[in-house]
Amino acid sequence: MSEIGRLLGAGKEAEVYEHGTLALKLYRPGRPKAPAFREAANLAVAERLSLPAPRVHVVGDYHGRWGLLMDRAPGLSLADEMMPEPPLSAIKEMAALHQRLHREPGTGLPSLKSRLSANIERAEPLTPDLRDRLLLTLAALPDGDNVCHGDFHPWNILGSGNNIMIVDWLDACSGNPAADVCRTYLLMRRALPAMAEAYVVTYAKTAELTPDEVFAWLPVIAAARLAEDVPEENEDLLHLASLAPVNL
């Protein structure tokens, strides 16, 4: 068994290390086993659909932390091509890759609307009245049954060409592609503000939807993000959540 090697990347939920020729994603100490198995199940769906995602080899306990041993993503992230100013070619590449996911059926993945609803229910900063309004807004939005990644942004797209790989599939769901594009917009809004709206417009130009259909999801996507406890975003997220229609 190979020893755990150098750190490749880190996020709020997990760290990724070299492990021989593979990559080992370890969830933070104290995290339960459920997220590791959920991400492995989501990656199994992606593998069955031949989507550009890492293949899982083992799910297990590594020195007291739950993790996944999987294919190692090649190359740098797409975000490296976008600093300091994202070229249009990179935005178009990202939109085309996103659409590739959205063309596939989300059979076997959890419901996106159900996950949004659960997160809105547990988002503490929301008042009861605003929460009720958001849940009504969510119920009125169109359903869907396509693959939605749930965390699609340039730092989760590694490599290029035939070697491109999308990582971090923990939040993958079956739902409406417009909601997934809106989630991407929200995630890029702070880090790459110049790109966020351009991405929505670029995606919409070659898909069967309009920017307005994407932004209709923004209040509920923002409200659900509040449950992820990112304090520096709370003020902005509350403002966006409050834009939910008053009369439906």
Side-chain angles (χ1 to χ4, degrees):
M1 193 71 170
S2 300
E3 292 296 318
I4 295 175
R6 67 184 177 94
L7 181 69
L8 296 173
K12 182 183 175 187
E13 295 290 326
E15 297 167 322
V16 180
Y17 295 88
E18 285 184 346
H19 198 273
T21 60
L22 302 175
L24 176 63
K25 179 174 183 174
L26 291 178
Y27 282 89
R28 297 286 182 181
R31 291 285 284 152
K33 66 173 69 174
F37 282 93
R38 187 167 85 233
E39 183 165 13
N42 293 345
L43 283 167
V45 172
E47 181 181 351
R48 173 173 55 81
L49 296 171
S50 298
L51 292 173
R55 185 167 60 94
V56 175
H57 298 269
V58 181
V59 182
D61 184 322
Y62 295 82
H63 308 292
R65 295 169 65 179
W66 284 94
L68 299 86
L69 190 61
M70 64 185 84
D71 293 343
R72 191 193 304 178
L76 300 174
S77 74
L78 186 62
D80 293 308
E81 296 182 29
M82 296 182 169
M83 298 296 185
E85 190 70 28
L88 182 58
S89 59
I91 297 175
K92 287 182 175 179
E93 178 184 4
M94 183 174 161
L97 189 60
H98 212 175
Q99 288 175 28
R100 179 177 171 186
L101 302 189
H102 293 158
R103 285 193 289 269
E104 298 296 338
T107 307
L109 295 173
S111 162
L112 174 59
K113 273 197 169 186
S114 294
R115 177 164 294 169
L116 290 174
S117 178
N119 284 348
I120 291 170
E121 290 279 11
R122 67 185 183 88
E124 293 182 3
L126 298 174
T127 64
D129 285 349
L130 180 54
R131 181 178 287 106
D132 289 345
R133 202 166 93 219
L134 286 157
L135 291 172
L136 286 172
T137 300
L138 175 60
L141 286 164
D143 287 311
D145 57 4
N146 301 90
V147 171
C148 293
H149 182 270
D151 200 18
F152 192 85
H153 55 70
W155 286 269
N156 278 344
I157 303 168
L158 305 177
S160 60
N162 293 331
N163 291 321
I164 206 159
M165 188 179 287
I166 306 164
V167 299
D168 285 353
W169 286 74
L170 177 63
D171 295 321
C173 286
S174 175
N176 191 305
D180 203 34
V181 176
C182 190
R183 167 77 173 179
T184 295
Y185 167 81
L186 187 68
L187 294 173
M188 294 195 300
R189 179 182 165 94
R190 288 175 66 87
L192 292 167
M195 178 185 171
E197 191 162 346
Y199 180 73
V200 173
V201 172
T202 301
Y203 182 103
K205 277 183 179 178
T206 51
E208 294 181 0
L209 79 167
T210 66
D212 285 347
E213 289 175 294
V214 173
F215 290 123
W217 288 86
L218 189 54
V220 297
I221 296 291
R225 172 75 168 168
L226 283 167
E228 297 174 40
D229 190 25
V230 187
E232 64 271 21
E233 296 184 14
N234 280 0
E235 184 177 352
D236 186 43
L237 293 173
L238 271 172
H239 167 70
L240 294 174
S242 71
L243 299 178
V246 177
N247 298 310
L248 294 173

